[in-house]
Amino acid sequence: MKRLYAASLLAASLAGCASAPPAVDTSEQEVIGIINKVNGYWQQREAPQKWAFWDIAAYHTGNMEAYQITGNPAWRKYSEDWAAHNNWQGAKSTDKATWKYQYGETDDHVLFGDWQICFQTYADLYKLDPDPKKIARAREVMEYQMSTANKDYWWWSDGLYMVMPVMTKLYTITGNRQYLDKLHEYFEYSNSIMYDSDAQLYYRDARYVYPKHQSVNGKKDFWSRGDGWVFAGLAKVLKDLPKDDPYRADYIAKFKGMAQALKKAQTDDGYWTRSLLDPQHAPGPETSGTAFFVYGYLWGINNGLLERDEYLPVVRKGWRYLSKTALQADGKIGYVQPIGDRAIPGQVVDQNSTTAFGVGAYLLASSELVRLLRQ
C-alpha cells in the first residue's frame, strides 16, 4: 500500500498539480502483472530452442529487460537455454572469405546485422555471469568486421537496432575504443542513405526515399516499425555510451528530433499507423512500432533527455493502447504487423497478429514503464 500511495503522489507531482491527470494510468504492480502475463503466455507456448536470427533474437532483448525488472530466474534461464542452443553464435560460417552482409538467412551471412542482434543478449548474460565463451563469437565477428575498410554494413533501418547496441555493450565489456569509433562511422553511412533531415525520420532503406517512393496519397512513406527500430536503438546506445563520448551529441540530436516528429504522428487512440505521415496508407492499430516508440519515450524521460511535461502525454496515450487494445485477455500481444519491410495497404493486422519480436518490443516498453513508476 505504501508503494501504491507513493506512486500516486509521484504521478500527481509529475503532472504538475493534484487535479491534473496522473503520469500514466497504472501502477507498478499492475505493469509487473502485465509483464508476467505476457511473458508467461509466450514462454509457455514457445520453446527456447529456436534459431538466433533477428525475429527471435529481438524477443530476447525484451525478455532480458523483463528479467532485469522482475528478477524471475526462469526468464534468465530461457535466454540462456536459447543461447546455448545456438552455441553463443549467430550465423556459423568459419570461412571469413565467404562472409556476407547483404540480406541472407544462411550461415555465410555472418556480417549481416540480423544475425548479430543475438550478441546483445549474449553480452547481457555475460555481464550477469562472466564467461569468455559467451562473447567469443561476438568479438570474433565484430572485431573482424571493424578490421575491414567497409562502412556500409547498416543499409536498412532495422540494422540500427540490431547492431548499434551490440557495439556499445561490447565496448563496456572490453574497453576497446574502436567499437565506438566504428559505431559512429557506420551510423553516419546509414544517415547518408536513409535519414530525412526535414522530417527527422528514417526511411526503411534507400528504396523508399521520397520522391522515388511515395505513399498512396503521394506523401513521404516512413514505416513505423522501421523508425521504431531506430528510436529504440538510439535509446539503447545512449544507455551505454560514455557521457564524454565525442559523438554523443549526434545521437542525442537524432533521438530528440525523432521524438518531436513522432509525437506529431501519434493518433488520438495512442498508436502509430504503419505509414507514419500518411495514416490512410495502411490504417489501423499496429503494436510493434508503437511499443518501440513508447519504450524510447520512456527511456528518454527516465534519463533526463526528454521533457516530462511534453512527452508524458505521449506515453500515457501509447500505454493506454498497449494495455487496453494490444494486450489480449489471455496475455497474447495482438496487432503486430508480420515480418516485412514496409507498410502494405490492405494487409490484415488484427488481435490475432502476434510475433516474437512484437512481444520483445512490448516487454521493453512495459519494463521501462516500471522504471518510471519506481522513480
Side-chain angles (χ1 to χ4, degrees):
M1 290 300 295
K2 288 182 178 179
R3 184 172 285 178
L4 280 170
Y5 180 67
S8 65
L9 285 179
L10 172 65
S13 66
L14 291 178
C17 65
S19 62
V24 183
D25 306 321
T26 188
S27 67
E28 176 188 338
Q29 288 81 356
E30 183 178 14
V31 180
I32 288 178
I34 289 174
I35 292 172
N36 288 331
K37 186 175 186 178
V38 168
N39 217 16
Y41 176 92
W42 186 261
Q43 293 192 11
Q44 288 163 16
R45 288 163 176 78
E46 302 289 339
Q49 289 76 24
K50 297 183 183 297
W51 67 347
F53 205 46
W54 75 272
D55 56 328
I56 303 300
Y59 161 78
H60 285 274
T61 65
N63 181 55
M64 290 302 296
E65 285 296 303
Y67 167 72
Q68 295 286 355
I69 285 295
T70 66
N72 185 338
W75 297 354
R76 173 178 170 178
K77 185 178 186 301
Y78 187 91
S79 283
E80 288 172 338
D81 289 347
W82 169 73
H85 173 72
N86 289 288
N87 297 312
W88 303 90
Q89 298 183 72
K92 295 181 171 63
S93 168
T94 58
D95 182 2
K96 293 181 175 64
T98 69
W99 287 4
K100 303 178 180 68
Y101 59 95
Q102 72 272 31
Y103 182 90
E105 301 180 8
T106 60
D107 273 334
D108 54 350
H109 288 84
V110 175
L111 302 178
F112 178 42
D114 283 4
W115 277 116
Q116 296 174 342
I117 179 179
C118 59
F119 299 151
Q120 289 190 44
T121 297
Y122 302 166
D124 288 344
L125 291 168
Y126 172 90
K127 290 180 180 179
L128 293 172
D129 180 23
D131 181 341
K133 76 176 183 182
K134 296 178 181 178
I135 58 168
R137 179 63 169 182
R139 292 191 62 181
E140 177 191 17
V141 170
M142 300 313 299
E143 288 169 16
Y144 170 80
Q145 180 170 309
M146 294 188 302
S147 77
T148 71
N150 302 333
K151 62 181 181 181
D152 56 343
Y153 288 104
W154 302 339
W155 47 265
W156 76 119
S157 63
D158 316 29
L160 299 183
Y161 181 86
M162 308 303 167
V163 199
M164 287 201 302
V166 170
M167 301 184 80
T168 51
K169 286 175 185 291
L170 289 176
Y171 167 77
T172 65
I173 292 172
T174 66
N176 181 355
R177 175 70 216 180
Q178 188 181 29
Y179 278 107
L180 302 185
D181 292 336
K182 287 292 184 177
L183 162 65
H184 192 255
E185 183 180 335
Y186 302 160
F187 181 60
E188 283 194 313
Y189 172 79
S190 298
N191 289 325
S192 74
I193 63 167
M194 292 183 285
Y195 182 67
D196 186 305
S197 58
D198 292 329
Q200 299 187 95
L201 294 169
Y202 285 79
Y203 297 104
R204 195 275 178 175
D205 59 57
R207 295 173 298 165
Y208 297 102
V209 174
Y210 183 88
K212 179 174 66 175
H213 170 83
Q214 302 177 25
S215 73
V216 293
N217 291 309
K219 299 180 180 181
K220 293 179 178 181
D221 186 16
F222 295 103
W223 180 42
S224 179
R225 187 161 69 236
D227 276 276
W229 290 123
V230 181
F231 196 50
L234 285 168
K236 281 173 156 275
V237 163
L238 289 165
K239 176 182 178 181
D240 288 330
L241 196 71
K243 294 293 189 291
D244 61 351
D245 185 89
Y247 308 120
R248 187 175 178 86
D250 294 348
Y251 303 113
I252 290 175
K254 293 293 190 300
F255 182 70
K256 287 185 172 182
M258 291 190 77
Q260 292 173 357
L262 292 168
K263 177 185 176 184
K264 299 172 186 174
Q266 186 182 29
T267 67
D268 290 339
D269 291 321
Y271 61 82
W272 282 262
T273 57
R274 282 163 277 173
S275 183
L276 292 172
L277 302 188
D278 187 354
Q280 297 310 310
H281 180 86
E286 201 286 311
T287 298
S288 62
T290 297
F292 281 130
F293 295 146
V294 171
Y295 163 71
Y297 279 114
L298 281 163
W299 188 90
I301 292 168
N302 286 341
N303 291 276
L305 290 181
L306 298 180
E307 290 293 330
R308 288 174 178 266
D309 290 347
E310 181 176 358
Y311 292 111
L312 274 176
V314 178
V315 167
R316 190 181 301 122
K317 288 197 300 181
W319 179 250
R320 191 174 298 128
Y321 162 76
L322 290 173
S323 59
K324 305 299 184 186
T325 301
L327 175 63
Q328 307 305 300
D330 56 4
K332 178 190 290 185
I333 298 303
Y335 297 98
V336 180
Q337 184 187 0
I339 290 174
D341 59 5
R342 65 194 185 281
I344 304 173
Q347 183 181 38
V348 175
V349 176
D350 60 22
Q351 68 270 21
N352 295 312
S353 304
T354 196
T355 65
F357 57 84
V359 176
Y362 195 98
L363 293 173
L364 282 176
S366 49
S367 296
E368 199 62 33
L369 179 55
V370 173
R371 293 189 176 100
L372 173 74
L373 295 168
R374 285 178 176 173
Q375 287 184 356

